[in-house]
Amino acid sequence: MTHHVADVAVIGAGTAGLAAERHARRQGVTTRLIDPDFAGTTCATVGCMPSKLLIGAADAAHEAAGADAFGLRSTVEVRGAEVFERVRRMRDDFAQGVQQSIAELPDGVCLRARARFEAPGELALDSGDTVEARAVVIATGATPALPGPYQAVSDRVLTNQTIFELDDLPESLGVIGAGPLGLELAQAMHRLGVRVEVFDAGEQLAGLPTETSRALYEVLSRAFPIHLNRTPEPAPHPDGVALTWQDGSTRVERVLVAAGRPPSLDALELENAGLDLDDHGTPLFDPATMQCGEAPVFIAGDANHDRPVLHEASHEGTVAGRNAAAWPEVTRTTRKVPLNIAFTRPEAAVIGTIPEADDDTHVTGEADFSDQGRAKVMARAAGMARLHARAGDGRLVGAELCAPGGEHLAHLLAWAVQCGMSASDVLEMPFYHPTLEEGLQSALRQICRQTEQSKPWNRDDDPLPGSRSGAPEG
């Protein structure tokens, strides 16, 4: 048994934990980074990168299969084993980069173990060691939730932690959960030739507001069934899993459970840390400092379940590590504009603040991408964008979209919101023709009209020829 003493102890070596340790150490303090596996970040190993590799294969298959739309002829042979071999090979390359950065940490920083609180600032490790720290950062991430009924068919259940280990594509897949992960993988599997059905207990897709959720549903449900407000009951079947709900049933070879990833906090014994917890057992914390109450404890990344996306985990880890090192002198940060993207096709995104439908202090402009010139050229015309602005001055506050090129449009809108730009300011920016970005102009012009923003004499607000079908606007 060894008793370790450090200024800052970080529990968890994912994106948030690595950032926290790094930025604490840069303040000149001693650190310990505690993790049972040091396997690499969720993004690199079982999240962002392998899912995008699978989506990349699905995109290639879909483009080849859709060549007829351009007067071309092609055939596609999907070799599932080779698809997954490439996913794992490239995934492992990304993970190796993370593992290399861990290997380069100073000697003595990494402790391979699971930690739990014995008291504020005192940790017990399952290795038998103990850690005493002036401040602690919780960065334990999140794990897939497996609802109780699926225990009976657990041998047929996949999660984001196991789906990329498949040797081949299943014949059929039931997806439980219509969030970003569930829909991304459902569409990718469908495009690779798997029979797919999606189920969700709610009404919204991918965390989208009502209008854009409907637009995404309209596109995706043309390809595979999406059962909303449905909670199927699973049961073993000789050929997989039987799923039964109130007005239907189906049989699938495998089930992907994508019904959420709750924070991994249970094993920490937080009650010994003297922290105030919410109804879900998550510590109450200040998102501007990442500090839990007045305690010398900070929480970052998926562990706090506030903004469970990688760039936020990195930012939160940076703030938590710096403030843990400086405690009790903590510094408040300005948070970035919220940005969430689902890599469906078309891509879906929510940016900034989405006002309530009856909020008369804001106005909304809409853009129709089913009738947008560049989208039609690419045979990808579908979806919409809704931009929200303050009624008084037309300053953009948020946006929601389901549109081709949505991941890029979402970044432009997030930057505009964070820079405090009005709809008129954005229209003053250069828009090349023909591009998908042009599709946002109609929504921006609607906001300008609703907020009565003055139009510069030298700005042409009429649609360019070919940017859309039909007659010019207003």
Side-chain angles (χ1 to χ4, degrees), residues 12-177:
T15 298
L18 290 170
E21 189 283 326
R22 182 168 62 249
H23 286 274
R25 183 159 38 87
R26 286 177 180 173
Q27 300 303 309
V29 304
T30 57
T31 62
R32 294 293 184 273
L33 180 63
I34 307 163
D35 192 276
D37 304 308
F38 290 100
T41 63
T42 294
C43 173
T45 57
V46 295
C48 321
M49 304 316 291
S51 66
K52 302 312 167 287
L53 286 164
L54 191 65
I55 291 169
D59 285 346
H62 181 73
E63 292 295 329
D68 282 5
F70 299 92
L72 308 174
R73 296 291 182 271
S74 66
T75 58
V76 180
E77 179 187 355
V78 177
R79 299 176 179 176
E82 294 179 25
V83 168
F84 280 107
E85 188 280 328
R86 177 180 182 270
V87 167
R88 287 190 289 271
R89 172 168 44 82
M90 296 192 68
R91 181 234 10 224
D92 292 347
D93 286 344
F94 289 119
Q96 180 58 40
V98 178
Q99 292 162 357
Q100 181 62 37
S101 68
I102 294 172
E104 293 171 356
L105 291 173
D107 291 342
V109 166
C110 295
L111 301 177
R112 188 179 294 272
R114 298 184 186 277
R116 59 179 174 82
F117 281 93
E118 287 198 323
E122 296 181 20
L123 303 174
L125 308 186
D126 64 359
S127 63
D129 290 0
T130 55
V131 177
E132 179 183 344
R134 189 169 53 83
V136 176
V137 177
I138 299 170
T140 47
T143 53
L146 185 61
Y150 290 89
Q151 299 290 346
V153 293
S154 59
D155 61 326
R156 294 283 185 166
V157 169
L158 300 168
T159 69
N160 71 298
Q161 293 182 330
T162 58
I163 190 170
F164 305 113
E165 303 305 321
L166 289 173
D167 293 328
D168 205 342
L169 291 162
E171 171 269 332
S172 52
L173 182 70
V175 178
I176 311 303

Side-chain angles (χ1 to χ4, degrees), residues 34 58 63 86 90 107 110 137 191-192 195 208 248 253 275 278 325 343 350 373 396-397 433 457:
I34 307 163
E63 292 295 329
R86 177 180 182 270
M90 296 192 68
D107 291 342
C110 295
V137 177
R191 289 184 165 188
L192 290 169
R195 178 174 63 82
L208 292 167
E253 181 181 333
L275 304 178
D278 65 16
F343 292 86
V350 180
L396 296 175
V397 299
H433 176 73
W457 68 269

